[in-house]
């Protein structure tokens, strides 16, 4: 029939389930000096019925920062760990995102000693 397609597009208001959930995102230390490292950890739970390896992305300030693959047995939880060098970040508060979890940490500028005469 003219004007009709063999394809249909459907959707919903909720994102599709990825087979895993992420929870308990934490960043330590909460305050770091530029040039030191911060560690982000999160719990990844396999909500499916089979063992899977999931790609987990870390974003800082809405920009991709790192990725890890996490193997999780069906129904179990594993911890994903990211270590980020703050040398590439501006001083101030940064937002970290892993899946739908958010956390913040603060980067402080290095204190430079003023020479005395």
């Amino acid at each position: 029939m003219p004007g009709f397609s063999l394809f249909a597009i459907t959707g919903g208001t909720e994102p599709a389930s990825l087979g895993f959930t992420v929870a308990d995102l934490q960043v330590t230390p909460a305050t770091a000096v530029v040039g030191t490292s911060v560690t982000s950890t999160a719990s990844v739970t396999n909500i499916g019925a089979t063992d899977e390896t999931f790609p987990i992305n870390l974003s800082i300030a809405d920009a991709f920062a790192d990725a890890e693959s996490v193997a999780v047995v069906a129904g179990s939880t594993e911890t994903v760990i990211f270590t980020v060098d703050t040398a590439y970040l501006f001083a101030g508060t940064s937002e970290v995102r892993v899946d739908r979890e958010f956390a913040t940490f603060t980067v402080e500028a290095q204190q430079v000693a003023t020479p005395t005469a």
Side-chain angles (χ1 to χ4, degrees):
M1 192 173 238
F4 287 95
S5 171
L6 297 177
F7 300 98
I9 299 174
T10 63
T13 58
E14 293 295 319
S17 174
L18 300 175
F20 67 93
T21 60
V22 175
D24 304 322
L25 176 60
Q26 297 180 20
V27 181
T28 54
T31 302
V33 176
V34 170
T36 61
S37 295
V38 294
T39 301
S40 299
T41 60
S43 300
V44 179
T45 301
N46 181 345
I47 58 175
T50 60
D51 300 354
E52 297 282 343
T53 298
F54 302 107
I56 307 296
N57 294 327
L58 173 80
S59 297
I60 298 177
D62 292 326
F64 174 81
D66 200 359
E68 294 288 338
S69 292
V70 181
V72 187
V73 173
S76 295
T77 300
E78 295 291 335
T79 300
V80 61
I81 301 171
F82 297 95
T83 301
V84 176
D85 184 355
T86 62
Y88 305 103
L89 300 175
F90 293 109
T93 301
S94 292
E95 184 176 70
V96 176
R97 178 180 179 186
V98 175
D99 194 44
R100 296 178 187 135
E101 292 285 306
F102 294 88
T104 59
F105 68 98
T106 303
V107 177
E108 295 179 341
Q110 289 182 342
Q111 299 296 322
V112 177
T114 305
T116 56

